[in-house]
Amino acid sequence: MTWLWIRHLGGELWLRIDDLDQARVRPEYIEDIFQQLDWLGLDTDQGPRSVTAFQQSWSQQLRIERYLRALTTLKNTGELYRCICSRRQWQALVGEGGRYPRTCRHHQYSAEQPGSWRIRLPEKATVCWQNWPSGQEELDLADEMGDFVIQRRDGQVAYQLASCLDDLDWQMNLLIRGVDLRSSTAAQFRLLRLLEPKRTPPAVLHHSLLTDEGNRKFSKSDGALSLHILKKQGYAPAAIYRSCAHWQHWPEASNVQSLNDLQQSFALALKQEP
Ligand SMILES: [Zn+2]
């Protein structure tokens, strides 16, 4: 979807691979990303094109100092507090899926005590952003996420902070992501406002997700239609393009034979939108 949108808009497409969590990173997983993009014929304009280039110039591990500096800035605003609860402890209080109950908020635990840093959100933390191409959207972050973690117990900065800083430093002006990431968008914009109050946040386009017949989103974790499996079963990229158009109910879906056809089907769908 990102590729289709950016190519449609004539923008520059940046590839970012998040590798903050080193326990889950393997060079072969990163190599796989390049191979899949290549197989599908999806080119990018900026960002890594190989595992070596990624490791040498684009890995988030190269930016840890930058993230930690921003963390210090945030701490100095007084908007962060030390939380010494383990996930198990606080979830026992609110149940799974509940928000962190702000237990540590009124204590002044020092940085020496093992724990994480959380953001102190007001009772109502409305974050507003500009949707692309038009319209505003807002979300109450306090309700959606609660006092979320900015630095984990093991010292790793949170994905939300790293993402916000990468977008900031690379001067992104449009974020394209799935609608399931709306609360992340709000969290990152909240951090952006604390760090760079004068910066205009990027516009956002939250696209709908591909869903199965039961209206559940396709997910890699349940093995649904992984590209590997489809490739092994002999499917060609054209079949993937066609399926994409079909699942999104775009015009001429059954005639899609190439990436170019997919782009045309996508453009037709945009024209039909009210
Ligand atoms: Zn706590």
Side-chain angles (χ1 to χ4, degrees):
M1 282 301 284
T2 305
W3 187 91
L4 284 170
W5 268 110
I6 298 294
R7 291 296 172 250
H8 178 77
L9 296 171
E12 221 177 46
L13 178 58
W14 287 58
L15 174 66
R16 179 163 81 222
I17 301 171
D18 288 349
D19 70 333
L20 272 181
D21 193 351
Q22 284 295 287
R24 289 161 61 202
V25 175
R26 305 263 184 290
E28 57 269 31
Y29 296 167
I30 297 169
E31 175 59 34
D32 188 59
I33 294 172
F34 296 118
Q35 280 183 10
Q36 306 285 11
L37 287 174
D38 205 44
W39 186 63
L40 286 172
L42 306 179
D43 58 341
T44 57
D45 302 310
Q46 296 285 346
R49 298 238 167 95
S50 68
V51 177
T52 313
F54 174 73
Q55 286 165 343
Q56 283 175 357
S57 315
W58 298 93
S59 163
Q60 290 182 312
Q61 299 304 316
L62 305 168
R63 288 171 49 75
I64 298 292
E65 264 178 51
R66 164 70 173 120
Y67 302 148
L68 292 176
R69 271 205 312 279
L71 184 72
T72 306
T73 309
L74 287 173
K75 282 178 190 166
N76 292 340
T77 64
E79 302 281 338
L80 303 191
Y81 64 91
R82 191 76 169 163
C83 166
I84 61 164
C85 312
S86 70
R87 176 181 283 269
R88 204 188 306 156
Q89 279 170 339
W90 68 261
Q91 279 195 342
L93 295 173
V94 294
E96 214 167 306
R99 307 278 166 266
Y100 172 68
R102 305 172 161 187
T103 321
C104 299
R105 209 176 159 138
H106 308 291
H107 299 272
Q108 304 264 317
Y109 295 117
S110 77
E112 277 69 52
Q113 278 173 285
S116 56
W117 288 95
R118 288 181 181 274
I119 190 163
R120 186 193 313 274
L121 292 176
E123 234 20 81
K124 199 162 170 58
T126 307
V127 180
C128 213
W129 67 83
Q130 199 66 43
N131 272 334
W132 200 92
S134 64
Q136 282 203 334
E137 198 170 334
E138 60 174 45
L139 179 149
D140 179 7
L141 199 50
D143 182 46
E144 196 78 22
M145 281 187 124
D147 287 357
F148 59 94
V149 169
I150 304 294
Q151 188 182 31
R152 299 190 333 190
R153 189 173 262 269
D154 63 5
Q156 185 183 307
V157 299
Y159 150 79
Q160 306 294 6
L161 179 60
S163 252
C164 157
L165 292 167
D166 290 352
D167 291 336
L168 176 76
D169 294 347
W170 295 347
Q171 302 186 30
M172 294 295 112
N173 57 6
L174 175 62
L175 307 179
I176 301 178
R177 47 172 65 147
V179 71
D180 56 332
L181 287 172
R182 280 174 78 251
S183 50
S184 279
T185 298
Q188 290 162 25
F189 285 180
R190 174 103 195 161
L191 295 176
L192 179 64
R193 209 177 62 195
L194 287 171
L195 289 163
E196 297 277 342
K198 287 187 183 140
R199 265 299 257 282
T200 310
V204 195
L205 196 160
H206 289 121
H207 62 75
S208 55
L209 303 176
L210 294 177
T211 51
D212 62 13
E213 283 79 9
N215 223 16
R216 288 171 302 252
K217 79 163 189 173
F218 285 138
S219 158
K220 268 182 277 182
S221 46
D222 44 57
L225 296 166
S226 99
L227 281 180
H228 277 295
I229 293 173
L230 293 174
K231 220 160 145 182
K232 238 184 232 159
Q233 288 174 344
Y235 285 94
I240 314 288
Y241 307 147
R242 206 155 39 243
S243 300
C244 279
H246 174 71
W247 286 326
Q248 305 271 3
H249 309 288
W250 291 341
E252 307 284 337
S254 41
N255 295 330
V256 170
Q257 306 284 349
S258 65
L259 194 51
N260 193 32
D261 291 346
L262 179 64
Q263 285 179 278
Q264 284 181 24
S265 168
F266 173 71
L268 282 174
L270 289 181
K271 269 192 203 153
Q272 284 182 357
E273 266 180 29

